[in-house]
Structure formats: structure tokens, C-alpha cells
CSV table of all heavy atoms in Angstrom, one decimal:
chain,number,residue,atom,x,y,z
A,99,GLY,N,22.3,84.3,35.5
A,99,GLY,CA,21.2,84.1,34.6
A,99,GLY,C,20.6,85.4,34.2
A,99,GLY,O,20.2,85.7,33.0
A,100,ALA,N,20.5,86.4,35.2
A,100,ALA,CA,20.0,87.8,34.9
A,100,ALA,C,20.9,88.4,33.9
A,100,ALA,O,20.4,89.2,33.0
A,100,ALA,CB,19.9,88.6,36.2
A,101,ALA,N,22.2,88.2,34.0
A,101,ALA,CA,23.1,88.9,33.1
A,101,ALA,C,23.0,88.3,31.7
A,101,ALA,O,23.0,89.1,30.7
A,101,ALA,CB,24.6,88.7,33.6
A,102,LEU,N,22.8,87.0,31.5
A,102,LEU,CA,22.6,86.4,30.3
A,102,LEU,C,21.3,86.9,29.6
A,102,LEU,O,21.2,87.1,28.5
A,102,LEU,CB,22.7,84.9,30.4
A,102,LEU,CG,22.5,84.1,29.1
A,102,LEU,CD1,23.7,84.4,28.1
A,102,LEU,CD2,22.5,82.6,29.4
A,103,LEU,N,20.3,86.9,30.5
A,103,LEU,CA,18.9,87.4,30.0
A,103,LEU,C,19.0,88.7,29.4
A,103,LEU,O,18.4,89.0,28.3
A,103,LEU,CB,17.9,87.2,31.1
A,103,LEU,CG,16.5,87.5,30.6
A,103,LEU,CD1,15.9,86.4,29.8
A,103,LEU,CD2,15.6,87.6,31.9
A,104,SER,N,19.7,89.6,30.0
A,104,SER,CA,19.9,90.9,29.6
A,104,SER,C,20.7,91.0,28.3
A,104,SER,O,20.4,91.8,27.4
A,104,SER,CB,20.5,91.8,30.7
A,104,SER,OG,20.8,93.1,30.2
A,105,ALA,N,21.8,90.2,28.3
A,105,ALA,CA,22.7,90.3,27.2
A,105,ALA,C,22.0,89.7,25.9
A,105,ALA,O,22.4,90.2,24.7
A,105,ALA,CB,23.9,89.4,27.4
A,106,MET,N,21.1,88.8,26.0
A,106,MET,CA,20.5,88.2,24.8
A,106,MET,C,19.2,88.8,24.4
A,106,MET,O,18.6,88.4,23.4
A,106,MET,CB,20.3,86.7,25.0
A,106,MET,CG,19.3,86.3,26.0
A,106,MET,SD,19.2,84.4,26.0
A,106,MET,CE,18.6,84.1,24.3
A,107,GLU,N,18.7,89.8,25.1
A,107,GLU,CA,17.4,90.4,24.8
A,107,GLU,C,17.3,90.9,23.4
A,107,GLU,O,16.3,90.7,22.7
A,107,GLU,CB,17.1,91.5,25.8
A,107,GLU,CG,15.7,92.1,25.6
A,107,GLU,CD,15.4,93.2,26.6
A,107,GLU,OE1,16.2,93.5,27.5
A,107,GLU,OE2,14.2,93.8,26.4
A,108,ALA,N,18.3,91.7,23.0
A,108,ALA,CA,18.3,92.2,21.6
A,108,ALA,C,18.1,91.1,20.5
A,108,ALA,O,17.4,91.2,19.6
A,108,ALA,CB,19.5,93.1,21.4
A,109,SER,N,18.9,90.0,20.7
A,109,SER,CA,18.9,88.9,19.8
A,109,SER,C,17.6,88.3,19.7
A,109,SER,O,17.1,87.8,18.7
A,109,SER,CB,20.1,88.0,20.1
A,109,SER,OG,21.3,88.6,20.0
A,110,ALA,N,17.1,88.0,21.0
A,110,ALA,CA,15.8,87.3,21.0
A,110,ALA,C,14.7,88.1,20.4
A,110,ALA,O,13.7,87.6,19.7
A,110,ALA,CB,15.5,87.0,22.6
A,111,ARG,N,14.7,89.4,20.7
A,111,ARG,CA,13.7,90.2,20.0
A,111,ARG,C,13.8,90.2,18.5
A,111,ARG,O,12.8,90.3,17.8
A,111,ARG,CB,13.8,91.7,20.6
A,111,ARG,CG,13.2,91.9,21.9
A,111,ARG,CD,13.4,93.4,22.4
A,111,ARG,NE,12.8,93.6,23.7
A,111,ARG,CZ,11.6,93.9,24.0
A,111,ARG,NH1,10.8,94.0,22.9
A,111,ARG,NH2,11.1,94.1,25.1
A,112,ALA,N,15.1,90.2,18.1
A,112,ALA,CA,15.3,90.2,16.6
A,112,ALA,C,14.7,88.9,16.0
A,112,ALA,O,14.2,88.9,14.9
A,112,ALA,CB,16.8,90.2,16.3
A,113,ALA,N,14.8,87.7,16.8
A,113,ALA,CA,14.3,86.5,16.2
A,113,ALA,C,12.7,86.6,16.2
A,113,ALA,O,12.1,86.1,15.2
A,113,ALA,CB,14.6,85.4,17.2
A,114,HIS,N,12.1,87.2,17.1
A,114,HIS,CA,10.7,87.4,17.1
A,114,HIS,C,10.3,88.3,15.9
A,114,HIS,O,9.2,88.1,15.3
A,114,HIS,CB,10.1,87.9,18.4
A,114,HIS,CG,10.0,86.9,19.5
A,114,HIS,ND1,8.9,86.1,19.6
A,114,HIS,CD2,11.0,86.6,20.5
A,114,HIS,CE1,9.2,85.3,20.7
A,114,HIS,NE2,10.3,85.5,21.1
A,115,GLU,N,11.0,89.4,15.8
A,115,GLU,CA,10.7,90.3,14.7
A,115,GLU,C,10.9,89.7,13.3
A,115,GLU,O,10.1,89.9,12.4
A,115,GLU,CB,11.7,91.6,14.8
A,115,GLU,CG,11.4,92.5,16.0
A,115,GLU,CD,10.0,93.2,15.9
A,115,GLU,OE1,9.7,93.6,14.7
A,115,GLU,OE2,9.4,93.3,16.9
A,116,ALA,N,11.9,88.9,13.2
A,116,ALA,CA,12.2,88.2,11.9
A,116,ALA,C,11.1,87.2,11.5
A,116,ALA,O,10.7,86.9,10.4
A,116,ALA,CB,13.6,87.5,12.0
A,117,THR,N,10.5,86.6,12.6
A,117,THR,CA,9.4,85.7,12.4
A,117,THR,C,8.2,86.3,11.7
A,117,THR,O,7.5,85.6,10.9
A,117,THR,CB,8.9,85.1,13.8
A,117,THR,OG1,10.0,84.5,14.5
A,117,THR,CG2,7.8,84.0,13.6
A,118,VAL,N,7.9,87.6,11.9
A,118,VAL,CA,6.8,88.3,11.3
A,118,VAL,C,7.2,89.4,10.4
A,118,VAL,O,6.4,90.3,10.2
A,118,VAL,CB,5.8,88.7,12.4
A,118,VAL,CG1,5.2,87.6,13.1
A,118,VAL,CG2,6.5,89.6,13.4
A,119,GLU,N,8.4,89.3,9.9
A,119,GLU,CA,8.9,90.4,9.1
A,119,GLU,C,8.2,90.6,7.8
A,119,GLU,O,8.3,91.7,7.1
A,119,GLU,CB,10.4,90.2,8.8
A,119,GLU,CG,10.7,89.0,7.9
A,119,GLU,CD,12.3,88.8,7.7
A,119,GLU,OE1,13.0,89.7,8.1
A,119,GLU,OE2,12.7,87.8,7.1
A,120,ALA,N,7.5,89.6,7.3
A,120,ALA,CA,6.8,89.8,6.1
A,120,ALA,C,5.5,90.6,6.3
A,120,ALA,O,4.9,91.1,5.3
A,120,ALA,CB,6.2,88.4,5.6
A,121,LEU,N,5.2,91.0,7.5
A,121,LEU,CA,4.0,91.9,7.8
A,121,LEU,C,4.4,93.2,8.2
A,121,LEU,O,5.5,93.5,8.7
A,121,LEU,CB,3.2,91.3,9.0
A,121,LEU,CG,2.8,89.8,8.9
A,121,LEU,CD1,2.1,89.4,10.1
A,121,LEU,CD2,1.9,89.6,7.6
A,122,ASN,N,3.6,94.2,7.8
A,122,ASN,CA,3.9,95.6,8.2
A,122,ASN,C,3.5,95.8,9.6
A,122,ASN,O,2.9,94.9,10.2
A,122,ASN,CB,3.3,96.7,7.2
A,122,ASN,CG,1.8,96.5,7.2
A,122,ASN,OD1,1.1,96.3,8.3
A,122,ASN,ND2,1.2,96.8,6.0
A,123,ALA,N,3.7,97.0,10.2
A,123,ALA,CA,3.4,97.3,11.6
A,123,ALA,C,1.9,97.0,11.9
A,123,ALA,O,1.6,96.4,13.0
A,123,ALA,CB,3.9,98.7,12.0
A,124,ASP,N,1.0,97.5,11.1
A,124,ASP,CA,-0.4,97.3,11.4
A,124,ASP,C,-0.8,95.8,11.3
A,124,ASP,O,-1.5,95.4,12.2
A,124,ASP,CB,-1.2,98.1,10.4
A,124,ASP,CG,-1.1,99.6,10.7
A,124,ASP,OD1,-0.8,100.1,11.8
A,124,ASP,OD2,-1.4,100.4,9.7
A,125,GLU,N,-0.2,95.2,10.2
A,125,GLU,CA,-0.6,93.7,10.1
A,125,GLU,C,0.0,92.9,11.4
A,125,GLU,O,-0.6,91.9,11.8
A,125,GLU,CB,0.1,93.2,8.9
A,125,GLU,CG,-0.6,93.8,7.6
A,125,GLU,CD,0.1,93.4,6.3
A,125,GLU,OE1,1.3,93.2,6.4
A,125,GLU,OE2,-0.6,93.4,5.3
A,126,ARG,N,1.2,93.3,11.9
A,126,ARG,CA,1.7,92.6,13.0
A,126,ARG,C,0.8,92.7,14.2
A,126,ARG,O,0.6,91.8,14.9
A,126,ARG,CB,3.1,93.1,13.2
A,126,ARG,CG,4.2,92.8,12.3
A,126,ARG,CD,5.6,93.3,12.7
A,126,ARG,NE,6.5,93.1,11.6
A,126,ARG,CZ,7.8,93.3,11.7
A,126,ARG,NH1,8.3,93.6,12.8
A,126,ARG,NH2,8.5,93.2,10.6
A,127,ALA,N,0.4,94.0,14.4
A,127,ALA,CA,-0.5,94.3,15.6
A,127,ALA,C,-1.8,93.4,15.4
A,127,ALA,O,-2.2,92.8,16.4
A,127,ALA,CB,-0.8,95.7,15.6
A,128,THR,N,-2.4,93.4,14.3
A,128,THR,CA,-3.6,92.6,14.0
A,128,THR,C,-3.3,91.1,14.3
A,128,THR,O,-4.1,90.4,14.9
A,128,THR,CB,-4.2,92.9,12.7
A,128,THR,OG1,-4.4,94.3,12.5
A,128,THR,CG2,-5.4,92.1,12.4
A,129,PHE,N,-2.2,90.6,13.6
A,129,PHE,CA,-1.8,89.3,13.8
A,129,PHE,C,-1.7,88.8,15.3
A,129,PHE,O,-2.2,87.8,15.6
A,129,PHE,CB,-0.5,89.1,13.0
A,129,PHE,CG,0.0,87.6,13.0
A,129,PHE,CD1,-0.8,86.6,12.5
A,129,PHE,CD2,1.1,87.2,13.6
A,129,PHE,CE1,-0.4,85.3,12.4
A,129,PHE,CE2,1.6,86.0,13.6
A,129,PHE,CZ,0.9,85.0,13.0
A,130,LEU,N,-1.0,89.6,16.0
A,130,LEU,CA,-0.8,89.3,17.4
A,130,LEU,C,-2.2,89.3,18.2
A,130,LEU,O,-2.4,88.4,19.0
A,130,LEU,CB,0.1,90.3,18.1
A,130,LEU,CG,1.6,90.1,17.7
A,130,LEU,CD1,2.5,91.3,18.3
A,130,LEU,CD2,2.1,88.8,18.2
A,131,GLU,N,-3.0,90.3,17.9
A,131,GLU,CA,-4.3,90.3,18.6
A,131,GLU,C,-5.1,89.0,18.2
A,131,GLU,O,-5.8,88.4,19.1
A,131,GLU,CB,-5.1,91.5,18.2
A,131,GLU,CG,-4.6,92.8,18.8
A,131,GLU,CD,-4.5,92.7,20.3
A,131,GLU,OE1,-5.5,92.2,20.9
A,131,GLU,OE2,-3.4,93.0,21.0
A,132,LEU,N,-5.0,88.6,17.0
A,132,LEU,CA,-5.8,87.4,16.6
A,132,LEU,C,-5.2,86.2,17.2
A,132,LEU,O,-6.0,85.3,17.7
A,132,LEU,CB,-5.8,87.3,15.0
A,132,LEU,CG,-6.6,88.4,14.2
A,132,LEU,CD1,-6.4,88.2,12.8
A,132,LEU,CD2,-8.0,88.3,14.6
A,133,LEU,N,-3.9,86.1,17.3
A,133,LEU,CA,-3.3,85.0,18.0
A,133,LEU,C,-3.7,84.9,19.4
A,133,LEU,O,-4.0,83.9,19.9
A,133,LEU,CB,-1.7,85.1,17.9
A,133,LEU,CG,-1.1,84.7,16.6
A,133,LEU,CD1,0.4,84.9,16.6
A,133,LEU,CD2,-1.4,83.3,16.2
A,134,LYS,N,-3.7,86.0,20.1
A,134,LYS,CA,-4.1,86.1,21.5
A,134,LYS,C,-5.5,85.7,21.7
A,134,LYS,O,-5.9,84.9,22.6
A,134,LYS,CB,-4.0,87.5,22.0
A,134,LYS,CG,-2.5,88.0,22.2
A,134,LYS,CD,-2.5,89.5,22.6
A,134,LYS,CE,-1.1,90.1,22.6
A,134,LYS,NZ,-1.0,91.5,23.0
A,135,ARG,N,-6.4,86.0,20.7
A,135,ARG,CA,-7.8,85.7,20.9
A,135,ARG,C,-8.0,84.2,20.7
A,135,ARG,O,-8.7,83.6,21.5
A,135,ARG,CB,-8.7,86.4,19.8
A,135,ARG,CG,-10.1,86.1,19.9
A,135,ARG,CD,-10.9,86.7,18.6
A,135,ARG,NE,-10.6,88.1,18.4
A,135,ARG,CZ,-11.1,88.7,17.3
A,135,ARG,NH1,-11.9,88.0,16.4
A,135,ARG,NH2,-10.8,90.0,17.1
A,136,VAL,N,-7.3,83.6,19.7
A,136,VAL,CA,-7.4,82.2,19.5
A,136,VAL,C,-6.8,81.3,20.8
A,136,VAL,O,-7.4,80.4,21.3
A,136,VAL,CB,-6.6,81.7,18.3
A,136,VAL,CG1,-6.5,80.2,18.2
A,136,VAL,CG2,-7.2,82.3,17.0
A,137,VAL,N,-5.6,81.8,21.3
A,137,VAL,CA,-5.0,81.1,22.4
A,137,VAL,C,-5.9,81.3,23.7
A,137,VAL,O,-6.1,80.3,24.4
A,137,VAL,CB,-3.6,81.7,22.6
A,137,VAL,CG1,-3.1,81.2,24.0
A,137,VAL,CG2,-2.7,81.3,21.6
A,138,SER,N,-6.5,82.5,23.8
A,138,SER,CA,-7.4,82.7,25.0
A,138,SER,C,-8.6,81.8,24.9
A,138,SER,O,-9.1,81.4,26.0
A,138,SER,CB,-7.7,84.2,25.0
A,138,SER,OG,-8.6,84.5,26.1
A,139,ALA,N,-9.1,81.7,23.7
A,139,ALA,CA,-10.4,80.8,23.6
A,139,ALA,C,-10.1,79.3,24.0
A,139,ALA,O,-11.0,78.7,24.3
A,139,ALA,CB,-10.8,80.9,22.1
A,140,HIS,N,-8.8,79.0,24.0
A,140,HIS,CA,-8.5,77.6,24.4
A,140,HIS,C,-7.7,77.5,25.7
A,140,HIS,O,-6.9,76.6,25.9
A,140,HIS,CB,-7.7,76.9,23.2
A,140,HIS,CG,-8.5,76.8,22.0
A,140,HIS,ND1,-9.5,75.9,21.8
A,140,HIS,CD2,-8.4,77.4,20.8
A,140,HIS,CE1,-10.0,76.0,20.6
A,140,HIS,NE2,-9.3,76.9,20.0
């Protein structure tokens, strides 16, 4: 399991990056902070 987790890390990160690829670096940071705030509130 540990070996598989390590092997797929780059691909998993790429999926997360692709999810928000329409945003620039600053927008992504802001988007994540807003998501955290909403989730934390609930």
C-alpha cells in the first residue's frame, strides 16, 4: 500500500492541479482558502 501510494502521488497531484487549472496561482490560493472557510463553517 505504501509503495502504491508513493507511485501514484504525482498522478494524483496532477488530477488536483487539473481540477483548478483555469485559475492562476493567486486565484488557486484564494479559492482554497474560501473552500476551507466554507467547509470549516459546517
Side-chain angles (χ1 to χ4, degrees):
L102 181 61
L103 187 65
S104 177
M106 69 178 297
E107 180 177 359
S109 297
R111 284 182 178 271
H114 282 275
E115 291 292 322
T117 303
V118 292
E119 66 181 355
L121 307 177
N122 62 38
D124 289 339
E125 289 171 333
R126 292 184 191 188
T128 300
F129 181 63
L130 285 175
E131 285 305 314
L132 291 175
L133 284 178
K134 291 175 185 177
R135 187 190 304 176
V136 172
V137 171
S138 178
H140 297 286

